[in-house]
Amino acid sequence: FFCGLITAACAIALAFLPLLLTLIIRYRYYFVLFYRAVLVRIWKDCITGLSREERAYQYVLTHSTPGDPDSILEAFDYWCSKVEYISNIGPKKGKILDRILMEQSPLTVLELGAHCGYSTVRIARALPLGARLYSIEMDQTNAAIAEKILRLAGFDDDTVRKEVTFLQDSSLYRRVDFVFMDHWKKCYLPDLQMLEECGLLGKGSVILADNVLFPGAPKFLRYIRKSGLYEWKIHRAMLEYSKGIRDGMAELVFQGIK
């Protein structure tokens, strides 16, 4: 009887084996991402007693040149691609951000989601003389790390003003020329609508939103398609520091309230 059960179980397992192998092959890049972003992080958190962001800061501190933003970004990129995964904008999509900033030369910039400071440094180094970057990060620990990274890169309060708060509680009161979104994807739409309602967007203001395809911001994309308030396009790219996972950034140009 038991031999029959074992034989039946083996037959069922063999029947599902091709399906299992197909799923593993098809979604292998997602399995790798899960391993790097979740499992490795949990293990390193346990053995080091430090957060992933603190470990990234320690690496950057010891493998970059103080006062050199390019050196700091390179250290971040190496750590995120070879050591542990952090969802920064990364070097490839970062070049799209660099190009748009160079084309627009914005004087007032808002960043939503500094995390540990990678994108903040990338934006700050591209700003024209006299420009001001307002950076908002909701996590207090990450904001403190981002502050250290900014100081390491050589930027002070005259260039970057950091706030640990939500957008609705920030002290920003002036219209912005450029907005970079890389925080919680579920916040993209309500924060965009808040910028509209508070009059912080002027005609021609540019919004660049990362990761709109993966993990994705479907409500945000649906809104910008239907609102008629924006000219927009998607810059398609691969997910930062990974292979085989398609992502993209949405570039919006505000046309004014009709």
Side-chain angles (χ1 to χ4, degrees):
F1 174 75
F2 290 107
C3 290
L5 285 178
I6 293 172
T7 302
C10 290
I12 293 172
L14 288 173
F16 280 98
L17 185 59
L19 175 61
L20 179 61
L21 290 175
T22 300
L23 290 174
I24 290 174
I25 293 171
R26 178 175 296 180
Y27 296 105
R28 62 192 183 278
Y29 297 117
Y30 296 91
F31 291 133
V32 171
L33 178 63
F34 178 77
Y35 169 75
R36 295 189 63 218
V38 179
L39 299 183
V40 171
R41 177 181 184 176
I42 292 172
W43 177 56
K44 290 289 184 71
D45 285 353
C46 291
I47 65 174
T48 66
L50 300 173
S51 71
R52 178 183 57 180
E53 290 74 16
E54 289 171 326
R55 293 192 295 274
Y57 169 68
Q58 286 190 347
Y59 181 89
V60 172
L61 182 63
T62 55
H63 291 80
S64 64
T65 304
D68 184 351
D70 291 345
S71 169
I72 288 166
L73 294 177
E74 289 171 3
F76 257 123
D77 288 333
Y78 183 88
W79 192 87
C80 294
S81 60
K82 303 295 185 183
V83 183
E84 289 188 59
Y85 180 86
I86 284 185
S87 183
N88 297 319
I89 187 174
K92 294 182 180 179
K93 286 191 289 184
K95 290 180 180 178
I96 299 173
L97 172 62
D98 297 344
R99 176 178 55 79
I100 295 173
L101 287 169
M102 184 175 297
E103 291 172 352
Q104 299 296 323
S105 294
L107 293 178
T108 304
V109 177
L110 172 64
E111 177 189 38
L112 298 177
H115 200 181
C116 44
Y118 178 95
S119 56
T120 318
V121 170
R122 190 152 205 135
I123 294 171
R125 73 168 184 171
L127 294 181
L129 187 64
R132 189 77 182 273
L133 168 59
Y134 296 84
S135 180
I136 295 177
E137 169 57 49
M138 294 175 281
D139 185 284
Q140 188 169 2
T141 302
N142 290 345
I145 293 171
E147 184 78 21
K148 294 177 184 177
I149 291 292
L150 281 169
R151 299 297 172 255
L152 184 64
F155 298 111
D156 56 24
D157 292 336
D158 291 334
T159 304
V160 182
R161 176 172 180 174
K162 292 202 62 62
E163 294 191 24
V164 186
T165 185
F166 293 90
L167 176 59
Q168 63 266 30
D169 299 322
S170 74
S171 61
L172 182 63
Y173 60 87
R174 58 196 296 184
R175 284 192 174 183
V176 293
D177 304 311
F178 183 88
V179 181
F180 179 62
M181 293 183 170
D182 195 13
H183 55 321
W184 293 340
K185 312 315 164 192
K186 66 180 181 180
C187 294
Y188 278 17
L189 177 55
D191 283 349
L192 179 65
Q193 292 174 324
M194 186 174 301
L195 290 171
E196 296 169 358
E197 293 165 3
C198 294
L200 295 177
L201 298 178
K203 185 175 176 59
S205 293
V206 175
I207 301 98
L208 187 65
D210 195 15
N211 304 127
V212 295
L213 300 183
F214 184 86
K219 292 182 179 179
F220 173 82
L221 293 178
R222 189 159 51 246
Y223 173 78
I224 64 176
R225 288 190 188 106
K226 294 181 177 180
S227 68
L229 299 177
Y230 301 93
E231 291 182 356
W232 63 279
K233 59 184 175 181
I234 301 293
H235 297 278
R236 297 185 179 274
M238 291 297 178
L239 184 70
E240 53 272 10
Y241 311 119
S242 65
K243 296 179 180 179
I245 301 178
R246 298 182 184 276
D247 190 20
M249 297 192 294
E251 180 186 351
L252 292 62
V253 181
F254 187 59
Q255 300 302 300
I257 301 295
K258 297 180 179 179

